[in-house]
PDB file of all heavy atoms in Angstrom:
ATOM      1  N   ASP A  20      -9.711-154.007 127.994  1.00  0.00           N
ATOM      2  CA  ASP A  20     -10.405-153.173 128.922  1.00  0.00           C
ATOM      3  C   ASP A  20     -10.087-151.698 128.697  1.00  0.00           C
ATOM      4  O   ASP A  20     -11.108-150.877 128.813  1.00  0.00           O
ATOM      5  CB  ASP A  20      -9.858-153.580 130.365  1.00  0.00           C
ATOM      6  CG  ASP A  20     -10.953-153.297 131.404  1.00  0.00           C
ATOM      7  OD1 ASP A  20     -12.107-153.656 131.124  1.00  0.00           O
ATOM      8  OD2 ASP A  20     -10.598-152.851 132.445  1.00  0.00           O
ATOM      9  N   GLU A  21      -8.941-151.335 128.306  1.00  0.00           N
ATOM     10  CA  GLU A  21      -8.601-149.930 128.056  1.00  0.00           C
ATOM     11  C   GLU A  21      -9.428-149.398 126.873  1.00  0.00           C
ATOM     12  O   GLU A  21      -9.867-148.253 126.839  1.00  0.00           O
ATOM     13  CB  GLU A  21      -7.151-149.684 127.924  1.00  0.00           C
ATOM     14  CG  GLU A  21      -6.728-148.241 127.722  1.00  0.00           C
ATOM     15  CD  GLU A  21      -7.130-147.337 128.844  1.00  0.00           C
ATOM     16  OE1 GLU A  21      -7.315-147.806 130.040  1.00  0.00           O
ATOM     17  OE2 GLU A  21      -7.321-146.122 128.639  1.00  0.00           O
ATOM     18  N   LEU A  22      -9.573-150.225 125.779  1.00  0.00           N
ATOM     19  CA  LEU A  22     -10.400-149.842 124.633  1.00  0.00           C
ATOM     20  C   LEU A  22     -11.806-149.498 125.091  1.00  0.00           C
ATOM     21  O   LEU A  22     -12.400-148.474 124.687  1.00  0.00           O
ATOM     22  CB  LEU A  22     -10.394-150.987 123.628  1.00  0.00           C
ATOM     23  CG  LEU A  22     -11.378-150.862 122.487  1.00  0.00           C
ATOM     24  CD1 LEU A  22     -10.990-149.730 121.575  1.00  0.00           C
ATOM     25  CD2 LEU A  22     -11.510-152.168 121.720  1.00  0.00           C
ATOM     26  N   TRP A  23     -12.408-150.369 125.902  1.00  0.00           N
ATOM     27  CA  TRP A  23     -13.819-150.099 126.370  1.00  0.00           C
ATOM     28  C   TRP A  23     -13.915-148.915 127.262  1.00  0.00           C
ATOM     29  O   TRP A  23     -14.905-148.222 127.235  1.00  0.00           O
ATOM     30  CB  TRP A  23     -14.338-151.364 127.033  1.00  0.00           C
ATOM     31  CG  TRP A  23     -14.729-152.426 125.989  1.00  0.00           C
ATOM     32  CD1 TRP A  23     -13.993-153.483 125.709  1.00  0.00           C
ATOM     33  CD2 TRP A  23     -15.847-152.496 125.078  1.00  0.00           C
ATOM     34  NE1 TRP A  23     -14.563-154.229 124.664  1.00  0.00           N
ATOM     35  CE2 TRP A  23     -15.700-153.580 124.303  1.00  0.00           C
ATOM     36  CE3 TRP A  23     -16.881-151.614 124.944  1.00  0.00           C
ATOM     37  CZ2 TRP A  23     -16.646-153.906 123.332  1.00  0.00           C
ATOM     38  CZ3 TRP A  23     -17.833-151.939 123.970  1.00  0.00           C
ATOM     39  CH2 TRP A  23     -17.720-153.067 123.177  1.00  0.00           C
ATOM     40  N   ARG A  24     -12.937-148.634 128.121  1.00  0.00           N
ATOM     41  CA  ARG A  24     -12.899-147.460 128.927  1.00  0.00           C
ATOM     42  C   ARG A  24     -12.884-146.210 128.038  1.00  0.00           C
ATOM     43  O   ARG A  24     -13.659-145.278 128.240  1.00  0.00           O
ATOM     44  CB  ARG A  24     -11.778-147.396 129.861  1.00  0.00           C
ATOM     45  CG  ARG A  24     -11.822-146.288 130.873  1.00  0.00           C
ATOM     46  CD  ARG A  24     -10.488-145.877 131.481  1.00  0.00           C
ATOM     47  NE  ARG A  24      -9.564-145.356 130.468  1.00  0.00           N
ATOM     48  CZ  ARG A  24      -9.661-144.174 129.932  1.00  0.00           C
ATOM     49  NH1 ARG A  24     -10.624-143.373 130.192  1.00  0.00           N
ATOM     50  NH2 ARG A  24      -8.766-143.793 129.008  1.00  0.00           N
ATOM     51  N   LYS A  25     -12.037-146.286 126.986  1.00  0.00           N
ATOM     52  CA  LYS A  25     -11.947-145.148 126.083  1.00  0.00           C
ATOM     53  C   LYS A  25     -13.260-144.973 125.323  1.00  0.00           C
ATOM     54  O   LYS A  25     -13.813-143.838 125.097  1.00  0.00           O
ATOM     55  CB  LYS A  25     -10.763-145.344 125.143  1.00  0.00           C
ATOM     56  CG  LYS A  25     -10.590-144.263 124.052  1.00  0.00           C
ATOM     57  CD  LYS A  25     -10.123-142.971 124.747  1.00  0.00           C
ATOM     58  CE  LYS A  25      -9.870-141.949 123.646  1.00  0.00           C
ATOM     59  NZ  LYS A  25     -10.427-140.676 123.856  1.00  0.00           N
ATOM     60  N   LEU A  26     -13.863-146.063 124.851  1.00  0.00           N
ATOM     61  CA  LEU A  26     -15.150-145.965 124.146  1.00  0.00           C
ATOM     62  C   LEU A  26     -16.240-145.401 125.038  1.00  0.00           C
ATOM     63  O   LEU A  26     -17.106-144.533 124.635  1.00  0.00           O
ATOM     64  CB  LEU A  26     -15.547-147.365 123.587  1.00  0.00           C
ATOM     65  CG  LEU A  26     -14.782-147.900 122.417  1.00  0.00           C
ATOM     66  CD1 LEU A  26     -15.218-149.385 122.155  1.00  0.00           C
ATOM     67  CD2 LEU A  26     -14.979-147.033 121.213  1.00  0.00           C
ATOM     68  N   PHE A  27     -16.240-145.828 126.355  1.00  0.00           N
ATOM     69  CA  PHE A  27     -17.155-145.234 127.294  1.00  0.00           C
ATOM     70  C   PHE A  27     -17.005-143.840 127.423  1.00  0.00           C
ATOM     71  O   PHE A  27     -17.932-142.983 127.429  1.00  0.00           O
ATOM     72  CB  PHE A  27     -16.987-146.010 128.639  1.00  0.00           C
ATOM     73  CG  PHE A  27     -18.069-145.692 129.587  1.00  0.00           C
ATOM     74  CD1 PHE A  27     -19.146-146.546 129.802  1.00  0.00           C
ATOM     75  CD2 PHE A  27     -18.048-144.509 130.370  1.00  0.00           C
ATOM     76  CE1 PHE A  27     -20.191-146.287 130.743  1.00  0.00           C
ATOM     77  CE2 PHE A  27     -19.125-144.264 131.290  1.00  0.00           C
ATOM     78  CZ  PHE A  27     -20.143-145.127 131.401  1.00  0.00           C
ATOM     79  N   GLU A  28     -15.732-143.388 127.645  1.00  0.00           N
ATOM     80  CA  GLU A  28     -15.477-141.912 127.759  1.00  0.00           C
ATOM     81  C   GLU A  28     -15.777-141.113 126.559  1.00  0.00           C
ATOM     82  O   GLU A  28     -16.338-140.019 126.670  1.00  0.00           O
ATOM     83  CB  GLU A  28     -13.959-141.742 128.087  1.00  0.00           C
ATOM     84  CG  GLU A  28     -13.623-140.346 128.456  1.00  0.00           C
ATOM     85  CD  GLU A  28     -12.139-140.173 128.920  1.00  0.00           C
ATOM     86  OE1 GLU A  28     -11.507-141.173 129.180  1.00  0.00           O
ATOM     87  OE2 GLU A  28     -11.736-138.994 129.060  1.00  0.00           O
ATOM     88  N   ASP A  29     -15.532-141.661 125.337  1.00  0.00           N
ATOM     89  CA  ASP A  29     -15.892-140.963 124.100  1.00  0.00           C
ATOM     90  C   ASP A  29     -17.388-140.699 124.016  1.00  0.00           C
ATOM     91  O   ASP A  29     -17.902-139.798 123.560  1.00  0.00           O
ATOM     92  CB  ASP A  29     -15.439-141.732 122.894  1.00  0.00           C
ATOM     93  CG  ASP A  29     -13.920-141.700 122.733  1.00  0.00           C
ATOM     94  OD1 ASP A  29     -13.232-140.848 123.444  1.00  0.00           O
ATOM     95  OD2 ASP A  29     -13.350-142.372 121.891  1.00  0.00           O
ATOM     96  N   ARG A  30     -18.153-141.781 124.477  1.00  0.00           N
ATOM     97  CA  ARG A  30     -19.642-141.725 124.280  1.00  0.00           C
ATOM     98  C   ARG A  30     -20.314-140.904 125.463  1.00  0.00           C
ATOM     99  O   ARG A  30     -21.161-140.147 125.228  1.00  0.00           O
ATOM    100  CB  ARG A  30     -20.243-143.128 124.297  1.00  0.00           C
ATOM    101  CG  ARG A  30     -21.749-143.139 124.051  1.00  0.00           C
ATOM    102  CD  ARG A  30     -22.200-144.450 123.621  1.00  0.00           C
ATOM    103  NE  ARG A  30     -23.665-144.487 123.541  1.00  0.00           N
ATOM    104  CZ  ARG A  30     -24.382-145.534 123.412  1.00  0.00           C
ATOM    105  NH1 ARG A  30     -23.736-146.728 123.242  1.00  0.00           N
ATOM    106  NH2 ARG A  30     -25.612-145.537 123.367  1.00  0.00           N
ATOM    107  N   TRP A  31     -19.907-141.110 126.653  1.00  0.00           N
ATOM    108  CA  TRP A  31     -20.619-140.515 127.828  1.00  0.00           C
ATOM    109  C   TRP A  31     -19.798-139.374 128.546  1.00  0.00           C
ATOM    110  O   TRP A  31     -20.298-138.783 129.484  1.00  0.00           O
ATOM    111  CB  TRP A  31     -21.101-141.543 128.841  1.00  0.00           C
ATOM    112  CG  TRP A  31     -22.175-142.336 128.233  1.00  0.00           C
ATOM    113  CD1 TRP A  31     -23.473-141.947 128.090  1.00  0.00           C
ATOM    114  CD2 TRP A  31     -22.216-143.603 127.727  1.00  0.00           C
ATOM    115  NE1 TRP A  31     -24.233-142.980 127.532  1.00  0.00           N
ATOM    116  CE2 TRP A  31     -23.434-144.124 127.322  1.00  0.00           C
ATOM    117  CE3 TRP A  31     -21.112-144.591 127.692  1.00  0.00           C
ATOM    118  CZ2 TRP A  31     -23.739-145.257 126.782  1.00  0.00           C
ATOM    119  CZ3 TRP A  31     -21.434-145.872 127.147  1.00  0.00           C
ATOM    120  CH2 TRP A  31     -22.736-146.212 126.699  1.00  0.00           C
ATOM    121  N   GLY A  32     -18.510-139.211 128.196  1.00  0.00           N
ATOM    122  CA  GLY A  32     -17.761-138.109 128.755  1.00  0.00           C
ATOM    123  C   GLY A  32     -16.928-138.575 130.001  1.00  0.00           C
ATOM    124  O   GLY A  32     -17.166-139.595 130.555  1.00  0.00           O
ATOM    125  N   ALA A  33     -15.959-137.696 130.400  1.00  0.00           N
ATOM    126  CA  ALA A  33     -15.076-137.958 131.472  1.00  0.00           C
ATOM    127  C   ALA A  33     -15.778-138.066 132.844  1.00  0.00           C
ATOM    128  O   ALA A  33     -15.428-138.920 133.641  1.00  0.00           O
ATOM    129  CB  ALA A  33     -13.930-136.943 131.485  1.00  0.00           C
ATOM    130  N   ASP A  34     -16.737-137.194 133.090  1.00  0.00           N
ATOM    131  CA  ASP A  34     -17.430-137.265 134.360  1.00  0.00           C
ATOM    132  C   ASP A  34     -18.142-138.585 134.614  1.00  0.00           C
ATOM    133  O   ASP A  34     -18.103-139.180 135.667  1.00  0.00           O
ATOM    134  CB  ASP A  34     -18.483-136.059 134.466  1.00  0.00           C
ATOM    135  CG  ASP A  34     -17.714-134.734 134.594  1.00  0.00           C
ATOM    136  OD1 ASP A  34     -16.581-134.704 134.965  1.00  0.00           O
ATOM    137  OD2 ASP A  34     -18.389-133.759 134.345  1.00  0.00           O
ATOM    138  N   ALA A  35     -18.875-139.019 133.541  1.00  0.00           N
ATOM    139  CA  ALA A  35     -19.584-140.305 133.624  1.00  0.00           C
ATOM    140  C   ALA A  35     -18.618-141.458 133.770  1.00  0.00           C
ATOM    141  O   ALA A  35     -18.832-142.416 134.517  1.00  0.00           O
ATOM    142  CB  ALA A  35     -20.500-140.570 132.422  1.00  0.00           C
ATOM    143  N   THR A  36     -17.479-141.323 133.062  1.00  0.00           N
ATOM    144  CA  THR A  36     -16.450-142.420 133.135  1.00  0.00           C
ATOM    145  C   THR A  36     -15.905-142.481 134.636  1.00  0.00           C
ATOM    146  O   THR A  36     -15.809-143.566 135.113  1.00  0.00           O
ATOM    147  CB  THR A  36     -15.270-142.114 132.170  1.00  0.00           C
ATOM    148  OG1 THR A  36     -15.879-141.969 130.871  1.00  0.00           O
ATOM    149  CG2 THR A  36     -14.232-143.214 132.237  1.00  0.00           C
ATOM    150  N   ALA A  37     -15.681-141.317 135.245  1.00  0.00           N
ATOM    151  CA  ALA A  37     -15.154-141.345 136.669  1.00  0.00           C
ATOM    152  C   ALA A  37     -16.231-141.863 137.545  1.00  0.00           C
ATOM    153  O   ALA A  37     -15.922-142.714 138.471  1.00  0.00           O
ATOM    154  CB  ALA A  37     -14.712-140.002 137.045  1.00  0.00           C
ATOM    155  N   PHE A  38     -17.515-141.543 137.291  1.00  0.00           N
ATOM    156  CA  PHE A  38     -18.592-141.983 138.163  1.00  0.00           C
ATOM    157  C   PHE A  38     -18.863-143.482 138.068  1.00  0.00           C
ATOM    158  O   PHE A  38     -19.114-144.142 139.053  1.00  0.00           O
ATOM    159  CB  PHE A  38     -19.829-141.204 137.809  1.00  0.00           C
ATOM    160  CG  PHE A  38     -21.033-141.552 138.702  1.00  0.00           C
ATOM    161  CD1 PHE A  38     -21.117-140.962 140.022  1.00  0.00           C
ATOM    162  CD2 PHE A  38     -22.073-142.378 138.240  1.00  0.00           C
ATOM    163  CE1 PHE A  38     -22.269-141.311 140.791  1.00  0.00           C
ATOM    164  CE2 PHE A  38     -23.144-142.724 139.099  1.00  0.00           C
ATOM    165  CZ  PHE A  38     -23.163-142.195 140.328  1.00  0.00           C
ATOM    166  N   TYR A  39     -18.790-144.041 136.847  1.00  0.00           N
ATOM    167  CA  TYR A  39     -19.195-145.399 136.609  1.00  0.00           C
ATOM    168  C   TYR A  39     -17.981-146.317 136.605  1.00  0.00           C
ATOM    169  O   TYR A  39     -18.076-147.507 136.388  1.00  0.00           O
ATOM    170  CB  TYR A  39     -19.932-145.619 135.295  1.00  0.00           C
ATOM    171  CG  TYR A  39     -21.314-145.076 135.310  1.00  0.00           C
ATOM    172  CD1 TYR A  39     -21.642-143.857 134.659  1.00  0.00           C
ATOM    173  CD2 TYR A  39     -22.330-145.703 136.057  1.00  0.00           C
ATOM    174  CE1 TYR A  39     -22.846-143.295 134.707  1.00  0.00           C
ATOM    175  CE2 TYR A  39     -23.589-145.184 136.131  1.00  0.00           C
ATOM    176  CZ  TYR A  39     -23.892-144.008 135.434  1.00  0.00           C
ATOM    177  OH  TYR A  39     -25.146-143.449 135.454  1.00  0.00           O
ATOM    178  N   ALA A  40     -16.739-145.812 136.939  1.00  0.00           N
ATOM    179  CA  ALA A  40     -15.567-146.672 136.916  1.00  0.00           C
ATOM    180  C   ALA A  40     -15.741-147.843 137.941  1.00  0.00           C
ATOM    181  O   ALA A  40     -16.285-147.675 139.055  1.00  0.00           O
ATOM    182  CB  ALA A  40     -14.318-145.865 137.350  1.00  0.00           C
TER     183      ALA A  40
END
Side-chain angles (χ1 to χ4, degrees):
D20 210 41
E21 185 57 27
L22 168 69
W23 285 101
R24 188 203 63 76
K25 179 70 174 131
L26 289 171
F27 190 98
E28 186 173 350
D29 288 348
R30 183 163 174 191
W31 289 288
D34 290 341
T36 303
F38 183 78
Y39 289 107

